[in-house]
Amino acid sequence: MKRRVLFLILAFQLLSACQKVNETDQTFIPTYPVELPSTTTPFQGQIDVSSTEFPDNTLTPPCLQPNPLEIASTVLTEFSIDVTNEPSPDAACVWKRIIAFPNSEATQRRYDNQYFMYASVNCGNQEKPLILVDKWNESGLGYPITNLLGWSVDNHYVYYYDQIIPDGCQPIGGFQQNLLRANLNDGVIQSFPITWTGGITISPDSLRIIYYDRQAVEVGIYDLEEQKEQRIGINLPNGLENWFAGNFTWSPDGTLAIFIIEKTENCFSLGSSLHRVDPQSSKITTLLEIENQTVSILRWSEMNNILISINGEQKIFDPSTGKLSTP
């Protein structure tokens, strides 16, 4: 199924590029990578097909009879393909993402170290899917992967962003850029002035997002409707330099949030702490600190009942008393 889906998208684009054929071994070599525009202007005029010399980076070299089967075999054998489908909470819409990476060093060189990214949303009342991303990206240090953030509760919007893949350790909250919102009714895409975040999470009412700014040592809360940002400082222990935050989780009623700070050294955790964010009082409170163990938040379904994991063992944490118990 993954191969059929990718072929319908990638093969169509590859058809627009001329095939170079080696006279000795008849090996198909695509002219990619090029970034295709979302719309193309039909060619008008005549092409001298006797010439085989074309300007650099031309998008429409003359191809006499491209072979779809040959293109399909190239796509399916030279790329590692990942397909993700995520339905909206009411199952009225489906988020689809396709990532195609060259699967060998030779193929990476052939495609100039680029990979293909496609993302769309298909709702039952639409004739065609809304295409959000359809392009080639450069891989390497800090390359972006389009990720779904969430849906608005009225199902009018979908929120998504670029997850930045670092060259090295992946911190617990990750790094995000380029937050976008697509209107599922008219297809309009809106950007937000949030350039670099970590651990971004949307609130239960889909009206706010929470994240942290490691450089500023602050938690940010952004109102998506009023487009206003609130910043709250994080009080780190003296001398703590190697740390990351993540696991941002909203309370069931959306009035509070909790998150994890992890002390690290050479990508290894040296301890974790659990913190509560109160936007109303603009205060961050430390709830739990554990040395030489890893803590993660699993679920916050009741105000005084948070399911966490300590070194893989599940515990119930009561934020009002600070007590731990076994489920």
mmCIF file of all heavy atoms in Angstrom, residues 256-300:
data_model
loop_
_atom_site.group_PDB
_atom_site.id
_atom_site.type_symbol
_atom_site.label_atom_id
_atom_site.label_comp_id
_atom_site.label_asym_id
_atom_site.label_seq_id
_atom_site.Cartn_x
_atom_site.Cartn_y
_atom_site.Cartn_z
ATOM 1 N N LEU A 256 -3.801 24.153 33.862
ATOM 2 C CA LEU A 256 -2.413 23.963 34.280
ATOM 3 C C LEU A 256 -1.703 23.086 33.257
ATOM 4 O O LEU A 256 -2.323 22.479 32.381
ATOM 5 C CB LEU A 256 -2.350 23.305 35.657
ATOM 6 C CG LEU A 256 -3.043 24.010 36.822
ATOM 7 C CD1 LEU A 256 -3.086 23.087 38.044
ATOM 8 C CD2 LEU A 256 -2.345 25.325 37.165
ATOM 9 N N ALA A 257 -0.405 22.994 33.413
ATOM 10 C CA ALA A 257 0.391 22.080 32.590
ATOM 11 C C ALA A 257 1.563 21.587 33.420
ATOM 12 O O ALA A 257 1.984 22.242 34.389
ATOM 13 C CB ALA A 257 0.888 22.767 31.325
ATOM 14 N N ILE A 258 2.091 20.430 33.087
ATOM 15 C CA ILE A 258 3.283 19.893 33.733
ATOM 16 C C ILE A 258 4.290 19.516 32.656
ATOM 17 O O ILE A 258 3.932 19.318 31.479
ATOM 18 C CB ILE A 258 2.964 18.660 34.619
ATOM 19 C CG1 ILE A 258 2.204 17.601 33.808
ATOM 20 C CG2 ILE A 258 2.186 19.066 35.855
ATOM 21 C CD1 ILE A 258 1.921 16.327 34.574
ATOM 22 N N PHE A 259 5.549 19.417 33.049
ATOM 23 C CA PHE A 259 6.586 19.025 32.099
ATOM 24 C C PHE A 259 7.771 18.462 32.860
ATOM 25 O O PHE A 259 7.873 18.566 34.089
ATOM 26 C CB PHE A 259 7.007 20.198 31.210
ATOM 27 C CG PHE A 259 7.742 21.315 31.918
ATOM 28 C CD1 PHE A 259 9.121 21.414 31.843
ATOM 29 C CD2 PHE A 259 7.042 22.275 32.646
ATOM 30 C CE1 PHE A 259 9.801 22.436 32.481
ATOM 31 C CE2 PHE A 259 7.710 23.319 33.296
ATOM 32 C CZ PHE A 259 9.091 23.390 33.202
ATOM 33 N N ILE A 260 8.677 17.842 32.113
ATOM 34 C CA ILE A 260 9.875 17.204 32.665
ATOM 35 C C ILE A 260 11.109 18.005 32.273
ATOM 36 O O ILE A 260 11.232 18.452 31.126
ATOM 37 C CB ILE A 260 10.020 15.760 32.148
ATOM 38 C CG1 ILE A 260 8.844 14.893 32.591
ATOM 39 C CG2 ILE A 260 11.351 15.147 32.605
ATOM 40 C CD1 ILE A 260 8.773 14.628 34.071
ATOM 41 N N ILE A 261 12.029 18.193 33.215
ATOM 42 C CA ILE A 261 13.374 18.677 32.910
ATOM 43 C C ILE A 261 14.342 17.526 33.144
ATOM 44 O O ILE A 261 14.302 16.881 34.197
ATOM 45 C CB ILE A 261 13.760 19.886 33.777
ATOM 46 C CG1 ILE A 261 12.973 21.121 33.345
ATOM 47 C CG2 ILE A 261 15.265 20.167 33.676
ATOM 48 C CD1 ILE A 261 13.297 22.369 34.145
ATOM 49 N N GLU A 262 15.181 17.278 32.175
ATOM 50 C CA GLU A 262 16.120 16.162 32.260
ATOM 51 C C GLU A 262 17.545 16.697 32.247
ATOM 52 O O GLU A 262 17.938 17.442 31.341
ATOM 53 C CB GLU A 262 15.906 15.211 31.080
ATOM 54 C CG GLU A 262 16.616 13.889 31.207
ATOM 55 C CD GLU A 262 16.170 12.931 30.110
ATOM 56 O OE1 GLU A 262 16.505 13.176 28.938
ATOM 57 O OE2 GLU A 262 15.492 11.936 30.428
ATOM 58 N N LYS A 263 18.319 16.317 33.276
ATOM 59 C CA LYS A 263 19.745 16.644 33.315
ATOM 60 C C LYS A 263 20.495 15.612 32.483
ATOM 61 O O LYS A 263 20.261 14.410 32.624
ATOM 62 C CB LYS A 263 20.261 16.644 34.755
ATOM 63 C CG LYS A 263 19.626 17.702 35.642
ATOM 64 C CD LYS A 263 20.279 17.749 37.010
ATOM 65 C CE LYS A 263 20.016 16.484 37.805
ATOM 66 N NZ LYS A 263 20.577 16.555 39.180
ATOM 67 N N THR A 264 21.384 16.076 31.627
ATOM 68 C CA THR A 264 22.049 15.154 30.707
ATOM 69 C C THR A 264 23.560 15.381 30.684
ATOM 70 O O THR A 264 24.062 16.434 31.086
ATOM 71 C CB THR A 264 21.512 15.340 29.273
ATOM 72 O OG1 THR A 264 21.851 16.656 28.804
ATOM 73 C CG2 THR A 264 20.010 15.147 29.215
ATOM 74 N N GLU A 265 24.241 14.353 30.217
ATOM 75 C CA GLU A 265 25.671 14.445 29.944
ATOM 76 C C GLU A 265 25.993 13.435 28.856
ATOM 77 O O GLU A 265 25.757 12.234 29.016
ATOM 78 C CB GLU A 265 26.499 14.159 31.194
ATOM 79 C CG GLU A 265 27.999 14.333 30.962
ATOM 80 C CD GLU A 265 28.818 14.157 32.227
ATOM 81 O OE1 GLU A 265 28.249 14.331 33.325
ATOM 82 O OE2 GLU A 265 30.013 13.845 32.116
ATOM 83 N N ASN A 266 26.505 13.939 27.727
ATOM 84 C CA ASN A 266 26.830 13.073 26.586
ATOM 85 C C ASN A 266 25.638 12.206 26.187
ATOM 86 O O ASN A 266 25.771 11.004 25.943
ATOM 87 C CB ASN A 266 28.038 12.203 26.893
ATOM 88 C CG ASN A 266 29.280 13.013 27.166
ATOM 89 O OD1 ASN A 266 29.508 14.067 26.565
ATOM 90 N ND2 ASN A 266 30.099 12.545 28.101
ATOM 91 N N CYS A 267 24.461 12.817 26.141
ATOM 92 C CA CYS A 267 23.209 12.172 25.710
ATOM 93 C C CYS A 267 22.627 11.209 26.740
ATOM 94 O O CYS A 267 21.636 10.526 26.452
ATOM 95 C CB CYS A 267 23.379 11.437 24.379
ATOM 96 S SG CYS A 267 23.849 12.508 23.008
ATOM 97 N N PHE A 268 23.225 11.103 27.923
ATOM 98 C CA PHE A 268 22.707 10.215 28.959
ATOM 99 C C PHE A 268 22.035 11.043 30.060
ATOM 100 O O PHE A 268 22.522 12.111 30.443
ATOM 101 C CB PHE A 268 23.823 9.359 29.556
ATOM 102 C CG PHE A 268 24.395 8.360 28.596
ATOM 103 C CD1 PHE A 268 25.592 8.613 27.933
ATOM 104 C CD2 PHE A 268 23.727 7.161 28.345
ATOM 105 C CE1 PHE A 268 26.123 7.693 27.045
ATOM 106 C CE2 PHE A 268 24.258 6.244 27.457
ATOM 107 C CZ PHE A 268 25.443 6.497 26.810
ATOM 108 N N SER A 269 20.930 10.518 30.585
ATOM 109 C CA SER A 269 20.195 11.210 31.638
ATOM 110 C C SER A 269 20.862 10.983 32.990
ATOM 111 O O SER A 269 21.215 9.860 33.349
ATOM 112 C CB SER A 269 18.744 10.711 31.678
ATOM 113 O OG SER A 269 18.054 11.294 32.762
ATOM 114 N N LEU A 270 21.014 12.066 33.751
ATOM 115 C CA LEU A 270 21.572 11.997 35.097
ATOM 116 C C LEU A 270 20.507 12.219 36.165
ATOM 117 O O LEU A 270 20.803 12.187 37.357
ATOM 118 C CB LEU A 270 22.680 13.044 35.261
ATOM 119 C CG LEU A 270 23.877 12.932 34.315
ATOM 120 C CD1 LEU A 270 24.873 14.053 34.618
ATOM 121 C CD2 LEU A 270 24.534 11.571 34.420
ATOM 122 N N GLY A 271 19.295 12.446 35.729
ATOM 123 C CA GLY A 271 18.210 12.692 36.669
ATOM 124 C C GLY A 271 17.111 13.507 36.022
ATOM 125 O O GLY A 271 17.325 14.160 34.994
ATOM 126 N N SER A 272 15.919 13.455 36.617
ATOM 127 C CA SER A 272 14.762 14.152 36.063
ATOM 128 C C SER A 272 13.988 14.859 37.165
ATOM 129 O O SER A 272 14.045 14.468 38.333
ATOM 130 C CB SER A 272 13.831 13.169 35.335
ATOM 131 O OG SER A 272 14.508 12.467 34.316
ATOM 132 N N SER A 273 13.255 15.885 36.767
ATOM 133 C CA SER A 273 12.384 16.595 37.707
ATOM 134 C C SER A 273 11.072 16.926 37.013
ATOM 135 O O SER A 273 11.025 17.152 35.806
ATOM 136 C CB SER A 273 13.063 17.865 38.230
ATOM 137 O OG SER A 273 13.500 18.686 37.168
ATOM 138 N N LEU A 274 10.003 16.942 37.814
ATOM 139 C CA LEU A 274 8.659 17.215 37.320
ATOM 140 C C LEU A 274 8.234 18.608 37.785
ATOM 141 O O LEU A 274 8.379 18.937 38.967
ATOM 142 C CB LEU A 274 7.688 16.154 37.845
ATOM 143 C CG LEU A 274 6.207 16.299 37.489
ATOM 144 C CD1 LEU A 274 5.990 16.151 35.990
ATOM 145 C CD2 LEU A 274 5.386 15.250 38.245
ATOM 146 N N HIS A 275 7.687 19.411 36.853
ATOM 147 C CA HIS A 275 7.351 20.796 37.162
ATOM 148 C C HIS A 275 5.925 21.111 36.713
ATOM 149 O O HIS A 275 5.442 20.573 35.718
ATOM 150 C CB HIS A 275 8.328 21.754 36.474
ATOM 151 C CG HIS A 275 9.762 21.484 36.806
ATOM 152 N ND1 HIS A 275 10.453 22.184 37.768
ATOM 153 C CD2 HIS A 275 10.623 20.554 36.310
ATOM 154 C CE1 HIS A 275 11.687 21.721 37.847
ATOM 155 N NE2 HIS A 275 11.820 20.721 36.974
ATOM 156 N N ARG A 276 5.285 22.028 37.456
ATOM 157 C CA ARG A 276 3.925 22.461 37.133
ATOM 158 C C ARG A 276 3.948 23.920 36.680
ATOM 159 O O ARG A 276 4.616 24.766 37.286
ATOM 160 C CB ARG A 276 3.010 22.318 38.340
ATOM 161 C CG ARG A 276 1.558 22.779 38.074
ATOM 162 C CD ARG A 276 0.686 22.567 39.302
ATOM 163 N NE ARG A 276 1.196 23.319 40.435
ATOM 164 C CZ ARG A 276 1.107 22.910 41.709
ATOM 165 N NH1 ARG A 276 0.538 21.750 42.003
ATOM 166 N NH2 ARG A 276 1.598 23.643 42.688
ATOM 167 N N VAL A 277 3.185 24.205 35.606
ATOM 168 C CA VAL A 277 3.062 25.565 35.088
ATOM 169 C C VAL A 277 1.656 26.074 35.394
ATOM 170 O O VAL A 277 0.669 25.417 35.038
ATOM 171 C CB VAL A 277 3.302 25.607 33.568
ATOM 172 C CG1 VAL A 277 3.233 27.046 33.061
ATOM 173 C CG2 VAL A 277 4.631 24.977 33.210
ATOM 174 N N ASP A 278 1.583 27.232 36.039
ATOM 175 C CA ASP A 278 0.300 27.873 36.316
ATOM 176 C C ASP A 278 0.248 29.180 35.523
ATOM 177 O O ASP A 278 0.820 30.195 35.940
ATOM 178 C CB ASP A 278 0.153 28.163 37.808
ATOM 179 C CG ASP A 278 -1.232 28.701 38.163
ATOM 180 O OD1 ASP A 278 -1.978 29.098 37.238
ATOM 181 O OD2 ASP A 278 -1.571 28.735 39.350
ATOM 182 N N PRO A 279 -0.418 29.182 34.371
ATOM 183 C CA PRO A 279 -0.469 30.417 33.572
ATOM 184 C C PRO A 279 -1.159 31.569 34.286
ATOM 185 O O PRO A 279 -0.811 32.734 34.051
ATOM 186 C CB PRO A 279 -1.259 29.991 32.324
ATOM 187 C CG PRO A 279 -1.137 28.502 32.265
ATOM 188 C CD PRO A 279 -1.087 28.063 33.688
ATOM 189 N N GLN A 280 -2.122 31.268 35.153
ATOM 190 C CA GLN A 280 -2.865 32.318 35.835
ATOM 191 C C GLN A 280 -1.963 33.132 36.753
ATOM 192 O O GLN A 280 -2.035 34.362 36.801
ATOM 193 C CB GLN A 280 -4.017 31.703 36.638
ATOM 194 C CG GLN A 280 -4.979 32.710 37.251
ATOM 195 C CD GLN A 280 -5.776 33.478 36.212
ATOM 196 O OE1 GLN A 280 -6.056 32.948 35.131
ATOM 197 N NE2 GLN A 280 -6.121 34.719 36.517
ATOM 198 N N SER A 281 -1.071 32.442 37.477
ATOM 199 C CA SER A 281 -0.162 33.141 38.399
ATOM 200 C C SER A 281 1.221 33.374 37.803
ATOM 201 O O SER A 281 2.092 33.946 38.471
ATOM 202 C CB SER A 281 -0.022 32.336 39.691
ATOM 203 O OG SER A 281 0.587 31.069 39.428
ATOM 204 N N SER A 282 1.429 32.911 36.551
ATOM 205 C CA SER A 282 2.742 33.024 35.888
ATOM 206 C C SER A 282 3.848 32.428 36.757
ATOM 207 O O SER A 282 4.905 33.029 36.977
ATOM 208 C CB SER A 282 3.062 34.490 35.554
ATOM 209 O OG SER A 282 2.186 34.982 34.575
ATOM 210 N N LYS A 283 3.594 31.207 37.255
ATOM 211 C CA LYS A 283 4.531 30.568 38.167
ATOM 212 C C LYS A 283 4.804 29.124 37.756
ATOM 213 O O LYS A 283 3.892 28.422 37.317
ATOM 214 C CB LYS A 283 3.974 30.607 39.591
ATOM 215 C CG LYS A 283 4.917 30.093 40.666
ATOM 216 C CD LYS A 283 4.305 30.234 42.048
ATOM 217 C CE LYS A 283 5.238 29.741 43.137
ATOM 218 N NZ LYS A 283 4.637 29.862 44.490
ATOM 219 N N ILE A 284 6.056 28.708 37.907
ATOM 220 C CA ILE A 284 6.456 27.321 37.680
ATOM 221 C C ILE A 284 6.928 26.745 39.008
ATOM 222 O O ILE A 284 7.811 27.311 39.666
ATOM 223 C CB ILE A 284 7.560 27.208 36.619
ATOM 224 C CG1 ILE A 284 7.032 27.690 35.254
ATOM 225 C CG2 ILE A 284 8.063 25.777 36.505
ATOM 226 C CD1 ILE A 284 8.081 27.700 34.162
ATOM 227 N N THR A 285 6.343 25.601 39.399
ATOM 228 C CA THR A 285 6.646 24.972 40.678
ATOM 229 C C THR A 285 7.257 23.596 40.463
ATOM 230 O O THR A 285 6.762 22.818 39.642
ATOM 231 C CB THR A 285 5.366 24.821 41.528
ATOM 232 O OG1 THR A 285 4.753 26.107 41.683
ATOM 233 C CG2 THR A 285 5.677 24.237 42.891
ATOM 234 N N THR A 286 8.334 23.297 41.182
ATOM 235 C CA THR A 286 8.938 21.967 41.125
ATOM 236 C C THR A 286 8.139 21.024 42.015
ATOM 237 O O THR A 286 7.951 21.280 43.208
ATOM 238 C CB THR A 286 10.400 22.007 41.581
ATOM 239 O OG1 THR A 286 11.137 22.901 40.738
ATOM 240 C CG2 THR A 286 11.029 20.621 41.510
ATOM 241 N N LEU A 287 7.676 19.909 41.433
ATOM 242 C CA LEU A 287 6.849 18.944 42.161
ATOM 243 C C LEU A 287 7.616 17.707 42.602
ATOM 244 O O LEU A 287 7.316 17.114 43.642
ATOM 245 C CB LEU A 287 5.669 18.499 41.287
ATOM 246 C CG LEU A 287 4.723 19.592 40.775
ATOM 247 C CD1 LEU A 287 3.676 18.982 39.866
ATOM 248 C CD2 LEU A 287 4.066 20.320 41.939
ATOM 249 N N LEU A 288 8.624 17.297 41.832
ATOM 250 C CA LEU A 288 9.307 16.031 42.102
ATOM 251 C C LEU A 288 10.702 16.087 41.489
ATOM 252 O O LEU A 288 10.868 16.547 40.354
ATOM 253 C CB LEU A 288 8.501 14.870 41.494
ATOM 254 C CG LEU A 288 9.058 13.454 41.659
ATOM 255 C CD1 LEU A 288 8.992 13.026 43.128
ATOM 256 C CD2 LEU A 288 8.263 12.474 40.790
ATOM 257 N N GLU A 289 11.703 15.614 42.231
ATOM 258 C CA GLU A 289 13.065 15.542 41.730
ATOM 259 C C GLU A 289 13.627 14.155 42.021
ATOM 260 O O GLU A 289 13.525 13.681 43.164
ATOM 261 C CB GLU A 289 13.953 16.603 42.377
ATOM 262 C CG GLU A 289 13.622 18.022 41.958
ATOM 263 C CD GLU A 289 14.596 19.037 42.533
ATOM 264 O OE1 GLU A 289 14.384 19.469 43.676
ATOM 265 O OE2 GLU A 289 15.582 19.371 41.835
ATOM 266 N N ILE A 290 14.203 13.519 41.021
ATOM 267 C CA ILE A 290 14.753 12.177 41.184
ATOM 268 C C ILE A 290 16.127 12.126 40.524
ATOM 269 O O ILE A 290 16.272 12.471 39.344
ATOM 270 C CB ILE A 290 13.824 11.110 40.558
ATOM 271 C CG1 ILE A 290 12.472 11.105 41.274
ATOM 272 C CG2 ILE A 290 14.463 9.731 40.620
ATOM 273 C CD1 ILE A 290 11.503 10.076 40.750
ATOM 274 N N GLU A 291 17.127 11.694 41.269
ATOM 275 C CA GLU A 291 18.484 11.597 40.750
ATOM 276 C C GLU A 291 18.724 10.224 40.115
ATOM 277 O O GLU A 291 18.219 9.206 40.597
ATOM 278 C CB GLU A 291 19.497 11.828 41.874
ATOM 279 C CG GLU A 291 19.484 13.236 42.442
ATOM 280 C CD GLU A 291 19.967 14.271 41.448
ATOM 281 O OE1 GLU A 291 20.820 13.926 40.602
ATOM 282 O OE2 GLU A 291 19.481 15.419 41.511
ATOM 283 N N ASN A 292 19.501 10.235 39.032
ATOM 284 C CA ASN A 292 19.960 9.008 38.369
ATOM 285 C C ASN A 292 18.817 8.100 37.914
ATOM 286 O O ASN A 292 18.995 6.885 37.792
ATOM 287 C CB ASN A 292 20.910 8.227 39.298
ATOM 288 C CG ASN A 292 22.121 9.039 39.693
ATOM 289 O OD1 ASN A 292 22.729 9.718 38.862
ATOM 290 N ND2 ASN A 292 22.462 9.003 40.973
ATOM 291 N N GLN A 293 17.654 8.684 37.684
ATOM 292 C CA GLN A 293 16.532 7.928 37.151
ATOM 293 C C GLN A 293 15.795 8.786 36.123
ATOM 294 O O GLN A 293 15.829 10.014 36.182
ATOM 295 C CB GLN A 293 15.560 7.502 38.258
ATOM 296 C CG GLN A 293 16.165 6.550 39.279
ATOM 297 C CD GLN A 293 15.136 6.058 40.270
ATOM 298 O OE1 GLN A 293 14.341 5.171 40.002
ATOM 299 N NE2 GLN A 293 15.135 6.648 41.464
ATOM 300 N N THR A 294 15.120 8.108 35.208
ATOM 301 C CA THR A 294 14.391 8.800 34.152
ATOM 302 C C THR A 294 12.910 8.823 34.470
ATOM 303 O O THR A 294 12.317 7.785 34.790
ATOM 304 C CB THR A 294 14.607 8.109 32.796
ATOM 305 O OG1 THR A 294 16.012 8.117 32.484
ATOM 306 C CG2 THR A 294 13.857 8.827 31.692
ATOM 307 N N VAL A 295 12.316 9.993 34.396
ATOM 308 C CA VAL A 295 10.893 10.173 34.659
ATOM 309 C C VAL A 295 10.202 10.621 33.377
ATOM 310 O O VAL A 295 10.732 11.477 32.651
ATOM 311 C CB VAL A 295 10.647 11.220 35.770
ATOM 312 C CG1 VAL A 295 9.151 11.411 36.003
ATOM 313 C CG2 VAL A 295 11.333 10.799 37.059
ATOM 314 N N SER A 296 9.047 10.065 33.104
ATOM 315 C CA SER A 296 8.243 10.502 31.959
ATOM 316 C C SER A 296 6.778 10.546 32.368
ATOM 317 O O SER A 296 6.338 9.804 33.247
ATOM 318 C CB SER A 296 8.434 9.573 30.754
ATOM 319 O OG SER A 296 8.080 8.248 31.077
ATOM 320 N N ILE A 297 6.035 11.443 31.714
ATOM 321 C CA ILE A 297 4.610 11.609 31.989
ATOM 322 C C ILE A 297 3.820 10.752 31.008
ATOM 323 O O ILE A 297 3.999 10.860 29.796
ATOM 324 C CB ILE A 297 4.200 13.085 31.850
ATOM 325 C CG1 ILE A 297 5.029 13.958 32.796
ATOM 326 C CG2 ILE A 297 2.710 13.274 32.121
ATOM 327 C CD1 ILE A 297 4.944 15.445 32.493
ATOM 328 N N LEU A 298 2.956 9.897 31.537
ATOM 329 C CA LEU A 298 2.161 9.017 30.685
ATOM 330 C C LEU A 298 0.754 9.557 30.436
ATOM 331 O O LEU A 298 0.261 9.516 29.301
ATOM 332 C CB LEU A 298 2.071 7.616 31.311
ATOM 333 C CG LEU A 298 3.403 6.920 31.588
ATOM 334 C CD1 LEU A 298 3.166 5.565 32.228
ATOM 335 C CD2 LEU A 298 4.215 6.770 30.304
ATOM 336 N N ARG A 299 0.109 10.069 31.491
ATOM 337 C CA ARG A 299 -1.273 10.532 31.322
ATOM 338 C C ARG A 299 -1.672 11.400 32.509
ATOM 339 O O ARG A 299 -1.277 11.145 33.643
ATOM 340 C CB ARG A 299 -2.221 9.336 31.206
ATOM 341 C CG ARG A 299 -3.675 9.696 30.893
ATOM 342 C CD ARG A 299 -4.508 8.457 30.612
ATOM 343 N NE ARG A 299 -4.628 7.579 31.774
ATOM 344 C CZ ARG A 299 -4.031 6.400 31.887
ATOM 345 N NH1 ARG A 299 -3.277 5.953 30.897
ATOM 346 N NH2 ARG A 299 -4.188 5.659 32.975
ATOM 347 N N TRP A 300 -2.458 12.456 32.234
ATOM 348 C CA TRP A 300 -3.042 13.283 33.285
ATOM 349 C C TRP A 300 -4.549 13.318 33.031
ATOM 350 O O TRP A 300 -5.058 14.186 32.338
ATOM 351 C CB TRP A 300 -2.453 14.689 33.258
ATOM 352 C CG TRP A 300 -2.777 15.491 34.492
ATOM 353 C CD1 TRP A 300 -3.557 15.099 35.540
ATOM 354 C CD2 TRP A 300 -2.323 16.815 34.811
ATOM 355 N NE1 TRP A 300 -3.624 16.075 36.503
ATOM 356 C CE2 TRP A 300 -2.871 17.149 36.080
ATOM 357 C CE3 TRP A 300 -1.511 17.731 34.156
ATOM 358 C CZ2 TRP A 300 -2.631 18.376 36.686
ATOM 359 C CZ3 TRP A 300 -1.270 18.957 34.759
ATOM 360 C CH2 TRP A 300 -1.821 19.277 36.005
#
